[in-house]
């Protein structure tokens, strides 16, 4: 291993980390993406503006889905930096970088320094981790809140056992026990009780396979569980205040819904068994193929590492362990299996165990013999070149603004990689992959997403309204008939609009709002047309094209066919028709512009 890692100096490591941080920071530049990102941004916006950190509201009504912790963090960021794209994304980036630090520290407890360095770079460059720093949801917050407790609890386990009381098993490393419990509590307040599985499964597997099963009998771990739930008391209090104290509220179409029950059961086990109010369609092999692209460019080394670990585990005899630690394997595989069996699956779910996958990948790469390392470096380089070619083709197809600059930048950086990293060793492998992901992230965040996100009609309309003196401070009604949180492009309007917004979910609600005079209304063209036939006077002010940008298709990517994929949204002035207009169908007011 010394020969493999000798070129991997600290200076190169810090330089590559700096590039890795910067490529993730490019995600700060594109606007907030619909759907979930814009919804979460709006929930935190209302929290920051009202100072109400207890109740969660979406689309003008009580919202019961995700816990409070990320919204508290985002609302605090809004209070510091103002309500804007940067304020929404910046704390998530900091949490993500915290997971990189924890991954390094956790790896260093068992493996060599170079393994910890490689694991950090793998985590910095795994594709869906990079993507999640642009399309921000809960996962960047969860990553350090999963690997962090594992690190602290493992530190407790590895502590000086001579200092442990035989009576209760409390170590001198009580600070690590307390910090691990606090971070676990924050994880619970981010995603719910299932986070105990990625945090605890690896530790339990490690104790069982290494002959330390008596750890399961020590009171310190039950104290850690108790402390973790004690740290969730703010979440439980908020849910009790908003929901359990108000059984008259209609949530998920019924009264008497308990927020505390939803937190502990329906939001987790209800989704797993697909019996809760929010349902999905599960595919047992969904994450097998999803991980191939989500963890690119490291998916093949990851699968090889997992295969080797499982084979070693199958051949293992009773006695000394074959592997330095089983935590990464246990946490990574338990979460993978849990999500695969779940009835509710989304690609970003696995991001929370990317730190463990990074450790497994790094351990595999650093442990390669020199001849095999050269082969893997060449294979990974081919994958990297293909990624650059794909991004170049995508840029050429989409034709974003600054196309020539983007292509020249990508080509120059690719050539520079092969000038700087000419050997087929570990340093060249890591340097080339960091550079390739810089090309990928830069192409997406600096050129492609700015083009795609122009078709978030809500954001585009809000930008237009904000520049119109007669409209900027005027309240806007978001007309979205139906129940639930809805969808479409309403949330990006709510977030980016400087003026106040309110929702109308029915004709009667809209009619009440326009009783006092005409109102600015943002809605789809289809809904606007339907209003004109139901007793409303609708005067169009502006029309903006819309596309669901998180579901890209070839027809949308191709400028020549893009128009047929777009749906129109309308900013209109809406009033109630006079009695004579309703009788004759003839408009008596000013002509429509």
């Amino acid at each position: 291993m010394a020969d493999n890692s000798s070129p991997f100096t600290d200076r190169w490591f810090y330089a590559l980390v700096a590039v890795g941080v910067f490529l993730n920071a490019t995600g700060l530049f594109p606007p907030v993406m619909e759907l979930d990102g814009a919804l979460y941004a709006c929930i935190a916006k209302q929290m920051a503006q009202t100072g109400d950190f207890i109740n969660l509201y979406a689309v003008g009504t009580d919202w019961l889905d995700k816990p409070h912790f990320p919204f508290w963090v985002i609302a605090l960021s809004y209070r510091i930096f103002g309500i804007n794209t940067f304020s929404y994304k910046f704390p998530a980036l900091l949490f993500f970088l915290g997971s990189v630090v924890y991954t390094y520290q956790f790896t260093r407890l068992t493996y060599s320094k170079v393994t910890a360095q490689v694991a950090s770079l793998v985590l910095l460059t795994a594709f869906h981790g990079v993507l999640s720093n642009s399309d921000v949801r809960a996962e960047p917050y969860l990553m350090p809140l999963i690997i962090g407790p594992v690190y602290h609890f493992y530190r407790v386990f590895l502590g000086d056992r001579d200092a442990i009381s035989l009576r209760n098993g409390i170590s001198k490393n009580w600070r690590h026990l307390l910090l691990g419990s606090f971070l676990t509590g924050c994880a619970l307040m981010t995603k719910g009780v299932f986070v105990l599985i990625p945090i605890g499964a690896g530790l339990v597997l490690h104790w069982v396979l290494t002959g330390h099963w008596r750890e399961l009998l020590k009171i310190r771990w039950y104290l850690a569980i108790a402390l973790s739930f004690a740290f969730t008391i703010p979440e439980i209090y908020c849910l009790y205040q908003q929901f359990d104290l108000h059984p008259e509220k209609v949530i998920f179409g019924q009264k008497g819904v308990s927020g505390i029950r939803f937190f502990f059961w329906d939001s987790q086990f209800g989704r797993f068994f697909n019996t809760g109010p929010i349902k999905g369609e599960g595919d047992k092999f969904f994450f097998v193929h999803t991980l191939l692209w989500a963890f690119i460019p490291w998916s093949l080394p990851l699968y090889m590492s997992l295969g080797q670990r499982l084979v070693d585990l199958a051949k293992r005899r009773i006695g000394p362990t074959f592997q330095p630690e089983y935590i990464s394997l246990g946490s990574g595989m338990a979460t993978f299996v849990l999500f695969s069996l779940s009835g509710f699956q989304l690609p970003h779910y696995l991001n929370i165990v990317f730190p463990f996958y990074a450790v497994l990948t790094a351990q595999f790469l650093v442990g390669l013999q020199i001849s095999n390392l050269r082969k893997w470096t060449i294979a990974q380089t081919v994958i990297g070149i293909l990624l650059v070619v794909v991004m170049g083709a995508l840029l050429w197809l989409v034709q974003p603004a600054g196309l020539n600059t983007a292509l020249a930048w990508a080509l120059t950086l690719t050539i520079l990689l092969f000038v700087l990293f000419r050997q087929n060793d570990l340093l060249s492998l890591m340097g080339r992959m960091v550079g390739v992901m810089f090309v990928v992230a830069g192409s997406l965040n600096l050129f492609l997403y700015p083009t795609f996100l122009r078709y978030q009609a809500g954001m585009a309309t809000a930008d237009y309204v904000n520049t119109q003196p007669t409209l900027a401070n005027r309240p806007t009604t978001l007309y979205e008939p139906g129940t639930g949180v809805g969808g479409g492009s309403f949330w990006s309007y709510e977030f980016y609009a400087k003026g106040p917004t309110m929702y109308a979910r029915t004709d009667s609600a809209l009619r009440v709002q326009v009783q006092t005079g005409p109102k600015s209304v943002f809605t789809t063209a289809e809904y606007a047309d339907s209003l004109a036939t139901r007793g409303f006077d609708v005067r169009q002010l502006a029309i903006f094209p819309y596309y669901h940008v998180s579901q890209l298709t070839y027809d949308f990517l191709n400028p020549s066919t893009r128009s047929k994929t777009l749906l129109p949204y309308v900013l209109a002035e809406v009033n109630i028709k006079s009695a004579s207009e309703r009788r004759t169908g003839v408009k008596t007011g000013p002509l429509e512009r």
Side-chain angles (χ1 to χ4, degrees), residues 284-578:
K284 301 300 184 290
F285 297 98
F286 175 81
F287 288 108
V288 174
H289 55 77
T290 295
L291 195 58
L292 281 173
W293 64 263
F295 205 65
I296 207 166
W298 307 109
S299 47
L300 294 184
L302 170 63
Y303 276 117
M304 286 297 298
S305 179
L306 286 171
Q308 283 189 357
R309 290 290 187 105
L310 292 174
V311 169
D312 287 347
L313 188 59
K315 294 180 178 179
R316 183 179 179 273
R317 294 171 298 179
I318 297 175
T321 177
F322 284 123
Q323 299 293 343
E325 54 89 14
Y326 287 98
I327 298 173
S328 302
L329 179 66
S331 293
M333 288 301 296
T335 306
F336 184 92
V337 172
L338 174 70
F339 286 156
S340 295
L341 296 177
S342 172
F344 203 90
Q345 300 169 339
L346 291 171
H348 55 270
Y349 278 10
L350 282 180
N351 285 31
I352 64 173
V353 286
F354 274 15
F356 302 112
Y357 292 159
V359 175
L360 293 170
T361 303
Q363 189 265 350
F364 171 77
L365 292 174
V366 175
L368 288 171
Q369 297 295 323
I370 294 178
S371 58
N372 289 332
L373 178 62
R374 289 172 180 165
K375 295 176 183 177
W376 271 98
T377 302
I378 294 171
Q380 288 294 110
T381 301
V382 171
I383 293 174
I385 293 174
L386 290 175
L387 286 173
V388 172
V389 170
V390 168
M391 294 311 300
L394 192 57
L395 287 166
W396 187 261
L397 173 64
V398 175
Q399 298 285 309
L403 173 63
N404 292 334
T405 301
L407 293 174
W409 168 77
L411 180 61
T412 301
L413 184 57
T414 304
I415 294 173
L416 182 63
L417 291 178
F418 287 94
V419 172
L420 290 176
F421 305 107
R422 289 173 289 184
Q423 305 299 320
N424 290 324
D425 54 18
L426 187 62
L427 173 62
S428 293
L429 171 60
M430 301 311 299
R432 290 173 189 173
M433 293 303 98
V434 170
V436 164
M437 292 309 296
F438 190 16
V439 172
V440 171
S443 299
L444 285 173
N445 293 328
L446 302 179
F447 299 99
L448 292 173
Y449 276 144
T451 299
F452 301 155
L453 297 181
R454 291 193 318 229
Y455 297 96
Q456 292 190 155
M459 182 191 70
T461 308
D463 290 342
Y464 168 77
V465 169
N466 292 338
T467 62
Q468 302 299 310
T470 59
L471 299 175
N473 297 317
R474 186 179 180 182
T476 302
T477 296
L478 307 177
Y479 178 65
E480 186 184 16
T483 59
V485 293
S489 203
F490 297 95
W491 300 329
S492 65
Y493 185 97
E494 181 183 355
F495 177 67
Y496 283 105
K498 294 180 180 178
T501 59
M502 63 195 78
Y503 281 86
R505 308 304 299 274
T506 63
D507 284 3
S508 58
L510 180 61
R511 191 168 281 108
V512 169
Q513 292 183 20
V514 299
Q515 286 286 350
T516 57
K519 295 292 187 296
S520 295
V521 174
F522 175 70
T523 189
T524 66
E526 181 181 5
Y527 286 150
D529 291 341
S530 70
L531 286 175
T533 66
R534 297 201 304 276
F536 291 92
D537 174 26
V538 180
R539 183 168 65 93
Q540 292 185 359
L541 302 177
I543 301 176
F544 293 89
Y546 166 75
Y547 184 81
H548 189 174
V549 294
S550 63
Q551 297 179 350
L552 300 176
T553 64
Y554 175 81
D555 286 342
F556 173 75
L557 295 174
N558 189 340
S560 63
T561 57
R562 186 174 299 158
S563 60
K564 69 180 183 181
T565 68
L566 305 177
L567 298 174
Y569 271 68
V570 173
L571 178 69
E573 184 177 83
V574 176
N575 201 356
I576 298 178
K577 287 183 180 179
S578 66

Side-chain angles (χ1 to χ4, degrees), residues 135-212:
D135 183 14
V136 174
R137 309 184 196 195
E139 279 61 39
Y141 294 96
L142 269 178
M143 290 173 69
L145 301 180
I146 299 294
I147 184 65
V150 172
Y151 163 76
H152 288 294
F153 292 149
Y154 195 39
R155 280 289 301 266
V156 173
F157 168 69
L158 293 177
D160 181 7
R161 295 192 177 89
D162 293 334
I164 299 176
S165 167
L166 297 177
R167 180 180 177 185
N168 55 25
I170 300 297
S171 169
K172 283 183 176 179
N173 291 316
W174 61 270
R175 292 184 183 86
H176 287 291
L177 192 75
L178 188 63
L179 281 171
S181 301
F182 173 73
L183 293 177
T184 302
C186 292
L188 287 164
M189 293 190 292
T190 300
K191 200 68 172 178
V193 294
F194 100 91
V195 300
L196 297 178
I197 293 174
I199 292 173
L203 290 164
V204 171
L205 181 68
H206 181 79
W207 294 335
V208 171
L209 293 181
T210 57
H212 294 94

